[in-house]
Structures are given as C-alpha cells and as structure tokens.
Coordinates of all heavy atoms in Angstrom, one line a residue:
M1 N -0.1 30.4 -5.8 CA 0.6 29.1 -5.9 C 1.5 28.9 -4.6 O 2.2 29.8 -4.2 CB 1.5 29.1 -7.1 CG 0.8 29.0 -8.4 SD 0.1 27.4 -8.6 CE 1.2 26.7 -9.8
T2 N 1.4 27.7 -4.1 CA 2.2 27.4 -3.0 C 3.4 26.6 -3.4 O 3.5 26.1 -4.5 CB 1.4 26.6 -1.9 OG1 0.8 25.5 -2.6 CG2 0.4 27.4 -1.3
A3 N 4.4 26.5 -2.6 CA 5.6 25.8 -2.9 C 5.2 24.3 -3.1 O 4.3 23.8 -2.5 CB 6.6 25.9 -1.8
V4 N 6.0 23.6 -3.9 CA 5.8 22.2 -4.1 C 6.0 21.4 -2.8 O 7.1 21.6 -2.2 CB 6.7 21.7 -5.2 CG1 6.5 20.2 -5.4 CG2 6.4 22.4 -6.6
S5 N 5.1 20.6 -2.4 CA 5.3 19.8 -1.2 C 5.4 18.4 -1.6 O 5.1 18.0 -2.7 CB 4.1 20.1 -0.2 OG 2.9 19.7 -0.9
A6 N 5.8 17.6 -0.7 CA 5.9 16.1 -1.0 C 4.5 15.6 -1.3 O 3.5 16.0 -0.7 CB 6.4 15.4 0.3
P7 N 4.4 14.8 -2.3 CA 3.1 14.3 -2.7 C 2.6 13.4 -1.6 O 3.3 12.6 -1.0 CB 3.4 13.4 -3.9 CG 4.8 13.2 -3.9 CD 5.5 14.2 -3.2
E8 N 1.3 13.6 -1.3 CA 0.7 12.8 -0.2 C -0.3 11.8 -0.8 O -1.0 12.0 -1.8 CB -0.1 13.7 0.7 CG 0.9 14.5 1.6 CD 0.2 14.9 2.9 OE1 -1.0 15.2 2.9 OE2 0.9 14.9 3.9
R9 N -0.3 10.6 -0.1 CA -1.2 9.6 -0.5 C -1.9 9.1 0.7 O -1.4 9.2 1.8 CB -0.4 8.4 -1.2 CG 0.2 8.8 -2.5 CD -0.8 9.1 -3.6 NE -0.1 9.3 -4.9 CZ 0.3 10.5 -5.3 NH1 0.1 11.6 -4.5 NH2 0.8 10.7 -6.5
T10 N -3.1 8.5 0.5 CA -3.9 8.0 1.6 C -3.7 6.5 1.7 O -3.8 5.7 0.7 CB -5.4 8.3 1.4 OG1 -5.5 9.7 1.2 CG2 -6.2 7.9 2.6
C11 N -3.4 6.0 2.9 CA -3.2 4.6 3.2 C -4.6 4.0 3.1 O -5.6 4.5 3.7 CB -2.6 4.4 4.6 SG -2.8 2.7 5.2
I12 N -4.8 2.9 2.4 CA -6.1 2.3 2.3 C -6.5 1.5 3.5 O -7.6 1.0 3.6 CB -6.2 1.4 1.0 CG1 -5.2 0.2 1.0 CG2 -6.1 2.2 -0.3 CD1 -5.4 -0.8 -0.1
G13 N -5.5 1.3 4.4 CA -5.8 0.6 5.7 C -6.4 1.5 6.7 O -7.5 1.3 7.2
C14 N -5.6 2.6 7.0 CA -6.0 3.5 8.1 C -6.6 4.8 7.6 O -7.1 5.6 8.4 CB -4.9 3.7 9.1 SG -3.5 4.6 8.3
R15 N -6.5 5.1 6.3 CA -7.0 6.3 5.7 C -6.2 7.5 6.1 O -6.7 8.6 5.9 CB -8.5 6.5 6.0 CG -9.4 5.3 5.8 CD -9.4 4.8 4.4 NE -10.0 5.8 3.5 CZ -10.0 5.7 2.2 NH1 -9.5 4.7 1.6 NH2 -10.6 6.6 1.4
R16 N -5.1 7.4 6.7 CA -4.3 8.5 7.1 C -3.5 9.0 5.8 O -3.1 8.1 5.1 CB -3.3 8.2 8.2 CG -3.9 8.4 9.6 CD -2.9 8.4 10.6 NE -2.1 7.1 10.6 CZ -2.3 6.2 11.6 NH1 -3.0 6.4 12.6 NH2 -1.6 5.1 11.5
K17 N -3.2 10.3 5.7 CA -2.4 10.7 4.6 C -0.9 10.8 5.1 O -0.6 11.2 6.2 CB -2.8 12.1 4.2 CG -4.1 12.1 3.4 CD -4.3 13.4 2.7 CE -5.5 13.3 1.8 NZ -5.9 14.5 1.2
R18 N -0.1 10.3 4.2 CA 1.4 10.3 4.5 C 2.1 10.6 3.2 O 1.5 10.5 2.1 CB 1.8 8.9 5.0 CG 1.1 8.5 6.3 CD 1.5 7.2 6.7 NE 2.9 7.1 7.2 CZ 3.4 6.1 7.9 NH1 2.6 5.1 8.3 NH2 4.7 6.1 8.3
G19 N 3.3 11.0 3.4 CA 4.2 11.2 2.2 C 4.3 9.9 1.4 O 4.3 8.8 2.0
R20 N 4.3 10.0 0.1 CA 4.4 8.8 -0.7 C 5.5 7.9 -0.4 O 5.4 6.7 -0.5 CB 4.4 9.3 -2.2 CG 4.1 8.2 -3.2 CD 4.0 8.7 -4.6 NE 5.2 9.4 -5.0 CZ 5.3 10.0 -6.2 NH1 4.3 10.0 -7.0 NH2 6.4 10.5 -6.5
A21 N 6.7 8.5 -0.1 CA 7.9 7.7 0.2 C 7.7 6.9 1.4 O 8.5 5.9 1.6 CB 9.1 8.7 0.3
E22 N 6.8 7.3 2.3 CA 6.6 6.5 3.6 C 5.7 5.3 3.4 O 5.5 4.5 4.3 CB 6.0 7.4 4.6 CG 6.8 8.6 5.0 CD 6.0 9.4 6.0 OE1 5.7 8.9 7.1 OE2 5.8 10.6 5.7
L23 N 5.0 5.2 2.2 CA 4.0 4.2 2.0 C 4.5 3.1 1.1 O 5.4 3.4 0.3 CB 2.8 4.8 1.4 CG 2.1 5.8 2.4 CD1 1.1 6.7 1.6 CD2 1.4 5.1 3.5
V24 N 3.9 1.9 1.1 CA 4.2 0.9 0.2 C 3.2 1.0 -0.9 O 2.0 1.1 -0.7 CB 4.1 -0.5 0.9 CG1 4.3 -1.6 -0.2 CG2 5.0 -0.7 2.0
R25 N 3.7 1.1 -2.2 CA 2.8 1.2 -3.3 C 2.5 -0.2 -3.8 O 3.4 -1.0 -4.0 CB 3.5 2.0 -4.4 CG 2.6 2.3 -5.6 CD 3.3 3.2 -6.6 NE 2.4 3.2 -7.8 CZ 2.8 3.2 -9.0 NH1 4.0 3.1 -9.3 NH2 1.9 3.2 -10.0
L26 N 1.2 -0.4 -4.0 CA 0.7 -1.7 -4.5 C 0.1 -1.5 -5.8 O -0.5 -0.5 -6.2 CB -0.3 -2.2 -3.5 CG 0.1 -2.3 -2.0 CD1 -1.0 -2.6 -1.2 CD2 1.3 -3.3 -1.9
T27 N 0.1 -2.6 -6.6 CA -0.6 -2.6 -7.9 C -1.2 -3.9 -8.1 O -1.0 -4.9 -7.4 CB 0.4 -2.2 -9.0 OG1 -0.3 -1.9 -10.2 CG2 1.4 -3.3 -9.3
N28 N -2.1 -3.9 -9.1 CA -2.9 -5.1 -9.4 C -2.3 -5.8 -10.7 O -2.2 -5.2 -11.7 CB -4.3 -4.7 -9.7 CG -5.2 -5.9 -10.1 OD1 -4.8 -7.0 -10.2 ND2 -6.4 -5.6 -10.4
E29 N -1.8 -7.0 -10.5 CA -1.2 -7.7 -11.6 C -2.0 -9.0 -11.8 O -1.9 -9.9 -11.1 CB 0.3 -8.1 -11.1 CG 1.2 -8.2 -12.3 CD 2.6 -8.5 -11.8 OE1 2.9 -9.7 -11.6 OE2 3.4 -7.6 -11.5
A30 N -2.9 -8.9 -12.8 CA -3.7 -10.0 -13.2 C -4.5 -10.6 -12.0 O -4.5 -11.8 -11.8 CB -2.9 -11.1 -13.8
G31 N -5.1 -9.7 -11.2 CA -5.9 -10.1 -10.1 C -5.2 -10.4 -8.8 O -5.8 -10.8 -7.8
R32 N -3.9 -10.2 -8.8 CA -3.1 -10.3 -7.6 C -2.6 -8.9 -7.2 O -2.1 -8.2 -8.0 CB -1.9 -11.2 -7.8 CG -2.3 -12.6 -8.2 CD -1.0 -13.5 -8.3 NE -0.5 -13.9 -7.0 CZ -1.1 -14.9 -6.3 NH1 -2.0 -15.6 -6.8 NH2 -0.6 -15.2 -5.1
V33 N -2.7 -8.6 -5.9 CA -2.1 -7.4 -5.4 C -0.6 -7.6 -5.1 O -0.3 -8.5 -4.3 CB -2.9 -6.9 -4.1 CG1 -2.3 -5.6 -3.6 CG2 -4.3 -6.7 -4.4
V34 N 0.2 -6.9 -5.7 CA 1.7 -7.1 -5.5 C 2.3 -5.7 -5.3 O 1.7 -4.7 -5.7 CB 2.3 -7.7 -6.7 CG1 1.9 -9.1 -6.9 CG2 2.1 -6.9 -8.0
P35 N 3.5 -5.7 -4.6 CA 4.1 -4.4 -4.4 C 4.6 -3.9 -5.8 O 5.1 -4.6 -6.6 CB 5.4 -4.7 -3.6 CG 5.1 -6.1 -3.0 CD 4.2 -6.8 -4.0
A36 N 4.4 -2.6 -6.1 CA 4.7 -2.0 -7.3 C 6.2 -1.4 -7.3 O 6.6 -0.9 -6.3 CB 3.8 -0.9 -7.7
H37 N 6.9 -1.6 -8.4 CA 8.2 -0.9 -8.4 C 7.9 0.6 -8.8 O 6.8 0.9 -9.4 CB 9.1 -1.4 -9.4 CG 8.7 -2.7 -10.1 ND1 9.3 -3.9 -9.9 CD2 7.7 -2.9 -11.1 CE1 8.6 -4.8 -10.6 NE2 7.7 -4.2 -11.4
A38 N 8.8 1.4 -8.5 CA 8.7 2.8 -8.8 C 8.4 3.0 -10.3 O 9.1 2.4 -11.2 CB 10.0 3.6 -8.5
G39 N 7.4 3.8 -10.6 CA 7.1 4.0 -12.0 C 6.3 2.9 -12.7 O 6.1 3.0 -13.9
A40 N 5.9 1.9 -12.0 CA 5.1 0.9 -12.6 C 3.7 1.5 -13.1 O 3.2 2.3 -12.4 CB 4.8 -0.2 -11.6
P41 N 3.3 1.1 -14.2 CA 2.0 1.7 -14.7 C 0.8 1.1 -14.1 O 0.9 0.1 -13.4 CB 2.1 1.4 -16.2 CG 2.8 0.1 -16.3 CD 3.8 0.1 -15.1
G42 N -0.3 1.8 -14.3 CA -1.6 1.3 -13.9 C -2.1 1.8 -12.6 O -1.4 2.6 -11.9
R43 N -3.2 1.4 -12.2 CA -3.9 1.8 -11.0 C -3.0 1.3 -9.8 O -2.5 0.2 -9.8 CB -5.3 1.1 -10.9 CG -6.1 1.5 -9.7 CD -7.4 0.9 -9.8 NE -8.2 1.6 -10.9 CZ -8.8 2.8 -10.6 NH1 -8.8 3.3 -9.4 NH2 -9.5 3.3 -11.6
S44 N -2.9 2.2 -8.8 CA -2.1 1.7 -7.6 C -2.8 2.2 -6.4 O -3.7 3.0 -6.4 CB -0.7 2.2 -7.7 OG -0.7 3.6 -7.8
A45 N -2.4 1.6 -5.3 CA -3.0 1.9 -4.0 C -1.8 2.0 -3.0 O -0.7 1.4 -3.3 CB -3.9 0.8 -3.5
Y46 N -2.0 2.7 -1.9 CA -0.9 2.9 -1.0 C -1.2 2.4 0.4 O -2.4 2.5 0.8 CB -0.5 4.4 -0.9 CG 0.1 4.9 -2.2 CD1 -0.7 5.3 -3.3 CD2 1.5 4.9 -2.4 CE1 -0.2 5.7 -4.5 CE2 2.0 5.3 -3.6 CZ 1.2 5.7 -4.6 OH 1.8 6.1 -5.8
L47 N -0.2 1.9 1.1 CA -0.5 1.3 2.4 C 0.7 1.6 3.3 O 1.9 1.6 2.8 CB -0.5 -0.3 2.2 CG -1.0 -1.1 3.4 CD1 -2.5 -1.0 3.6 CD2 -0.7 -2.6 3.1
C48 N 0.4 1.9 4.5 CA 1.5 2.1 5.5 C 2.3 0.8 5.6 O 1.7 -0.3 5.5 CB 1.0 2.5 6.9 SG 0.0 3.9 7.0
P49 N 3.6 0.8 5.8 CA 4.3 -0.4 6.0 C 4.1 -1.0 7.4 O 5.0 -1.1 8.2 CB 5.8 0.0 5.7 CG 5.8 1.4 6.1 CD 4.4 2.0 5.8
E50 N 2.8 -1.2 7.7 CA 2.5 -1.7 9.0 C 1.5 -2.8 8.9 O 0.5 -2.8 8.2 CB 1.9 -0.6 9.9 CG 2.9 0.5 10.3 CD 2.3 1.7 10.8 OE1 1.1 1.7 11.3 OE2 2.9 2.8 10.7
Q51 N 1.8 -3.9 9.7 CA 0.9 -5.0 9.7 C -0.5 -4.7 10.0 O -1.5 -5.2 9.4 CB 1.4 -6.1 10.7 CG 0.9 -7.5 10.5 CD 1.4 -8.1 9.2 OE1 2.5 -7.8 8.7 NE2 0.6 -8.8 8.5
A52 N -0.7 -3.8 10.9 CA -2.1 -3.4 11.3 C -2.9 -2.8 10.1 O -4.1 -3.0 10.0 CB -2.0 -2.4 12.4
C53 N -2.2 -2.0 9.3 CA -2.8 -1.4 8.2 C -3.1 -2.4 7.1 O -4.2 -2.4 6.5 CB -2.0 -0.3 7.6 SG -1.9 1.2 8.7
L54 N -2.2 -3.3 6.9 CA -2.5 -4.4 6.0 C -3.7 -5.2 6.4 O -4.6 -5.5 5.5 CB -1.2 -5.3 5.9 CG -1.2 -6.5 5.0 CD1 -1.5 -6.1 3.6 CD2 0.1 -7.2 5.1
E55 N -3.8 -5.5 7.6 CA -5.0 -6.3 8.1 C -6.2 -5.5 8.0 O -7.3 -6.0 7.6 CB -4.7 -6.8 9.5 CG -3.8 -7.9 9.6 CD -3.3 -8.2 11.0 OE1 -3.9 -7.8 12.0 OE2 -2.3 -9.0 11.1
A56 N -6.2 -4.2 8.3 CA -7.4 -3.4 8.3 C -7.9 -3.3 6.8 O -9.1 -3.4 6.6 CB -7.0 -2.0 8.8
A57 N -6.9 -3.1 5.9 CA -7.3 -3.0 4.5 C -7.9 -4.3 4.0 O -8.9 -4.3 3.3 CB -6.1 -2.6 3.7
D58 N -7.4 -5.4 4.5 CA -7.9 -6.7 4.1 C -9.3 -6.9 4.6 O -10.2 -7.3 3.9 CB -6.9 -7.7 4.6 CG -7.0 -9.1 3.9 OD1 -7.6 -9.1 2.7 OD2 -6.6 -10.1 4.4
K59 N -9.5 -6.6 5.9 CA -10.8 -6.7 6.5 C -11.9 -5.9 5.8 O -13.0 -6.3 5.7 CB -10.7 -6.4 8.0 CG -10.4 -7.6 8.8 CD -10.6 -7.2 10.3 CE -9.7 -8.1 11.2 NZ -8.9 -7.5 12.1
R60 N -11.5 -4.7 5.5 CA -12.5 -3.7 4.9 C -12.6 -3.9 3.4 O -13.3 -3.1 2.7 CB -12.0 -2.3 5.2 CG -12.0 -2.0 6.7 CD -11.3 -0.7 7.0 NE -11.8 0.3 6.1 CZ -11.0 1.3 5.5 NH1 -9.7 1.3 5.7 NH2 -11.5 2.1 4.7
R61 N -12.0 -4.9 2.9 CA -12.0 -5.2 1.4 C -11.5 -4.0 0.6 O -12.0 -3.7 -0.5 CB -13.4 -5.6 1.0 CG -13.9 -6.8 1.7 CD -15.3 -7.3 1.2 NE -15.6 -8.6 1.7 CZ -15.1 -9.7 1.3 NH1 -14.3 -9.7 0.3 NH2 -15.4 -10.8 1.8
A62 N -10.6 -3.2 1.2 CA -10.1 -2.0 0.6 C -9.4 -2.3 -0.7 O -9.3 -1.5 -1.6 CB -9.2 -1.3 1.6
F63 N -8.8 -3.5 -0.8 CA -8.0 -3.9 -2.0 C -9.0 -4.0 -3.2 O -8.7 -3.5 -4.2 CB -7.2 -5.1 -1.8 CG -6.2 -5.0 -0.7 CD1 -6.3 -5.6 0.5 CD2 -5.0 -4.2 -1.0 CE1 -5.3 -5.5 1.5 CE2 -4.1 -4.0 0.0 CZ -4.2 -4.7 1.2
A64 N -10.1 -4.7 -3.0 CA -11.1 -4.9 -4.1 C -11.6 -3.5 -4.5 O -11.9 -3.3 -5.7 CB -12.2 -5.8 -3.6
R65 N -11.8 -2.7 -3.5 CA -12.3 -1.3 -3.8 C -11.3 -0.5 -4.6 O -11.6 0.1 -5.6 CB -12.7 -0.6 -2.5 CG -14.1 -0.1 -2.6 CD -14.6 0.7 -1.4 NE -13.8 0.8 -0.3 CZ -14.0 0.2 0.9 NH1 -15.1 -0.5 1.0 NH2 -13.2 0.3 1.9
A66 N -10.1 -0.6 -4.1 CA -9.0 0.3 -4.8 C -8.8 -0.2 -6.2 O -8.5 0.6 -7.1 CB -7.8 0.2 -3.9
F67 N -8.9 -1.5 -6.4 CA -8.6 -2.0 -7.7 C -9.8 -2.4 -8.5 O -9.8 -3.0 -9.6 CB -7.7 -3.2 -7.6 CG -6.3 -2.9 -7.1 CD1 -5.9 -3.3 -5.8 CD2 -5.5 -2.0 -7.8 CE1 -4.7 -2.9 -5.3 CE2 -4.2 -1.6 -7.3 CZ -3.8 -2.1 -6.0
R68 N -11.0 -2.0 -8.0 CA -12.3 -2.2 -8.7 C -12.5 -3.6 -9.2 O -12.9 -3.8 -10.3 CB -12.3 -1.3 -9.9 CG -11.9 0.2 -9.5 CD -13.0 1.1 -10.0 NE -12.8 2.4 -9.5 CZ -12.9 3.5 -10.2 NH1 -13.2 3.5 -11.4 NH2 -12.7 4.7 -9.6
G69 N -12.3 -4.5 -8.3 CA -12.7 -5.9 -8.6 C -12.1 -6.8 -7.6 O -11.3 -6.4 -6.8
P70 N -12.4 -8.1 -7.7 CA -11.9 -9.1 -6.8 C -10.4 -9.3 -7.0 O -10.0 -9.5 -8.2 CB -12.7 -10.3 -7.1 CG -13.2 -10.2 -8.5 CD -13.3 -8.7 -8.7
V71 N -9.6 -9.2 -6.0 CA -8.2 -9.5 -6.1 C -7.7 -10.3 -4.9 O -8.4 -10.4 -3.9 CB -7.4 -8.1 -6.0 CG1 -7.5 -7.3 -7.3 CG2 -7.8 -7.3 -4.8
V72 N -6.7 -11.0 -5.1 CA -6.1 -11.7 -4.0 C -4.8 -11.1 -3.6 O -4.1 -10.5 -4.4 CB -5.8 -13.2 -4.3 CG1 -7.2 -14.0 -4.5 CG2 -4.9 -13.4 -5.5
L73 N -4.5 -11.1 -2.3 CA -3.3 -10.5 -1.8 C -2.1 -11.4 -2.0 O -2.1 -12.5 -1.4 CB -3.5 -10.2 -0.3 CG -2.7 -9.1 0.3 CD1 -2.8 -7.8 -0.5 CD2 -3.3 -8.9 1.7
D74 N -1.1 -11.0 -2.7 CA 0.1 -11.8 -2.9 C 0.9 -11.8 -1.6 O 1.0 -10.7 -1.0 CB 0.9 -11.3 -4.1 CG 2.0 -12.2 -4.5 OD1 3.1 -12.2 -3.9 OD2 1.7 -13.0 -5.5
P75 N 1.5 -12.9 -1.2 CA 2.4 -12.9 0.0 C 3.5 -11.9 -0.1 O 4.1 -11.5 0.9 CB 2.9 -14.3 0.0 CG 2.0 -15.2 -0.8 CD 1.4 -14.2 -1.8
A76 N 3.9 -11.5 -1.3 CA 4.9 -10.5 -1.5 C 4.6 -9.2 -0.8 O 5.5 -8.4 -0.3 CB 5.2 -10.2 -2.9
V77 N 3.3 -8.9 -0.6 CA 2.9 -7.7 0.0 C 3.2 -7.8 1.5 O 3.7 -6.8 2.1 CB 1.3 -7.4 -0.1 CG1 0.9 -6.2 0.7 CG2 1.0 -7.2 -1.6
H78 N 3.0 -8.9 2.1 CA 3.3 -9.1 3.5 C 4.8 -9.0 3.7 O 5.3 -8.4 4.7 CB 2.9 -10.5 4.0 CG 1.4 -10.7 4.1 ND1 0.7 -10.4 5.3 CD2 0.5 -11.1 3.2 CE1 -0.6 -10.6 5.1 NE2 -0.7 -11.0 3.9
R79 N 5.6 -9.5 2.8 CA 7.0 -9.4 2.9 C 7.5 -8.0 2.7 O 8.4 -7.5 3.5 CB 7.7 -10.3 1.8 CG 7.6 -11.7 2.1 CD 8.7 -12.5 1.3 NE 8.4 -12.4 -0.1 CZ 7.6 -13.3 -0.8 NH1 7.0 -14.2 -0.2 NH2 7.5 -13.1 -2.1
A80 N 6.8 -7.2 1.8 CA 7.2 -5.8 1.6 C 6.9 -5.0 2.9 O 7.7 -4.2 3.3 CB 6.5 -5.2 0.4
V81 N 5.8 -5.3 3.5 CA 5.5 -4.6 4.8 C 6.5 -4.9 5.9 O 7.0 -4.1 6.6 CB 4.0 -4.9 5.2 CG1 3.7 -4.5 6.6 CG2 3.0 -4.3 4.2
A82 N 6.8 -6.2 6.0 CA 7.7 -6.7 7.0 C 9.1 -6.1 6.8 O 9.7 -5.7 7.8 CB 7.7 -8.2 7.1
R83 N 9.5 -6.0 5.6 CA 10.8 -5.5 5.3 C 10.9 -4.1 5.6 O 11.9 -3.6 6.2 CB 11.1 -5.7 3.8 CG 12.6 -5.5 3.4 CD 12.9 -6.0 2.0 NE 12.0 -5.4 1.1 CZ 11.3 -6.1 0.1 NH1 11.4 -7.4 0.0 NH2 10.5 -5.4 -0.7
H84 N 9.9 -3.3 5.2 CA 9.9 -1.9 5.5 C 9.9 -1.6 7.0 O 10.7 -0.8 7.5 CB 8.5 -1.4 5.0 CG 8.7 -0.1 4.2 ND1 9.0 1.1 4.8 CD2 8.5 0.2 2.9 CE1 9.0 2.0 3.9 NE2 8.8 1.5 2.7
T85 N 9.1 -2.4 7.7 CA 9.1 -2.3 9.2 C 10.4 -2.6 9.8 O 10.9 -1.8 10.7 CB 8.0 -3.2 9.8 OG1 6.8 -3.0 9.1 CG2 7.8 -3.0 11.2
S86 N 11.1 -3.6 9.4 CA 12.4 -3.9 10.0 C 13.5 -2.9 9.6 O 14.3 -2.6 10.4 CB 12.8 -5.4 9.7 OG 13.0 -5.5 8.3
D87 N 13.4 -2.3 8.4 CA 14.3 -1.3 8.0 C 14.2 -0.1 9.0 O 15.2 0.5 9.4 CB 14.0 -0.8 6.6 CG 14.5 -1.7 5.6 OD1 15.3 -2.6 6.0 OD2 14.2 -1.5 4.4
E88 N 13.0 0.2 9.4 CA 12.8 1.4 10.2 C 13.4 1.2 11.6 O 13.8 2.1 12.3 CB 11.3 1.7 10.4 CG 10.9 2.8 9.4 CD 9.4 2.9 9.4 OE1 8.7 2.8 10.4 OE2 8.8 3.3 8.3
R89 N 13.4 -0.1 12.0 CA 13.8 -0.4 13.4 C 15.3 -0.4 13.5 O 15.9 -0.4 14.5 CB 13.3 -1.7 13.9 CG 11.8 -1.5 14.2 CD 11.3 -2.8 14.8 NE 9.8 -2.7 14.9 CZ 9.0 -3.7 14.8 NH1 9.5 -4.9 14.6 NH2 7.7 -3.6 15.0
R90 N 16.0 -0.5 12.3 CA 17.4 -0.7 12.3 C 18.1 0.6 12.8 O 17.6 1.7 12.5 CB 17.9 -1.1 11.0 CG 19.1 -2.1 11.1 CD 19.4 -2.6 9.7 NE 18.4 -3.7 9.3 CZ 18.1 -4.0 8.0 NH1 18.6 -3.3 7.1 NH2 17.3 -4.9 7.8
Ligands
ZN101 ZN1 -2.1 3.0 7.4

C-alpha cells in the first residue's frame, strides 16, 4: 500500500492528468454542460481552467463522449474557466 496521494483526474481537453483541485469539474444538467459544485452527484468530467483545453475538448466532441450523449456547452463553463485563470494570475 502506498501513501494516499492527491486524486488525479484527466482533462478532457488535453488528456493530461492533474490534481483534482487544479481542474474545473463539469457535469451534465439536462443536456447542458455546467460547472459542478463540490459533491454534486452524477457523471462528471474535468477540464483544465484554460481556454485552450476548453476549445480542444469542444472540437474533439469530448463533452458528448464524456457525458454519453449530445450536450451543449453552457456559457457558465467559459466563465468558470476565465475566473479560474484570472485567479491564478492574481
Ligand atoms: Zn487540459
């Protein structure tokens, strides 16, 4: 048994593994992809808080794959990514 490490998740945009806390968690709410609050139930996907990853995931239809069906990206996801990015720069 190894020591407990930070949980890692894979970004659906760039496929890199990062600590869960570094990623934006997304969930499917009635066909819309929205940022999930901590502990929200259901299937979720993770994305780096970077515009490039958001665009890559969108182009590769990674959202539909992650949520197993057609979904639309809620503008709140863009805001969550932008907010995360500006927090880091502060
Ligand atoms: Zn990424």
Side-chain angles (χ1 to χ4, degrees):
M1 286 291 255
T2 51
V4 176
S5 58
E8 288 208 319
R9 294 293 182 270
T10 304
C11 166
I12 60 171
C14 64
R15 314 295 298 171
R16 273 194 300 251
K17 283 193 174 178
R18 299 177 69 163
R20 194 171 59 180
E22 296 175 63
L23 297 163
V24 177
R25 185 175 173 222
L26 305 172
T27 193
N28 177 2
E29 210 178 84
R32 300 183 76 81
V33 180
V34 294
H37 355 251
R43 180 175 289 279
S44 57
Y46 293 84
L47 189 73
C48 303
E50 287 165 27
Q51 198 65 36
C53 290
L54 179 56
E55 282 169 16
D58 201 20
K59 267 189 205 132
R60 297 168 48 219
R61 302 184 171 281
F63 296 108
R65 232 183 353 251
F67 295 113
R68 307 235 170 135
V71 287
V72 294
L73 203 53
D74 193 275
V77 175
H78 289 272
R79 285 198 297 272
V81 167
R83 190 168 56 228
H84 225 289
T85 307
S86 61
D87 280 351
E88 266 172 31
R89 283 186 192 149
R90 216 171 282 153

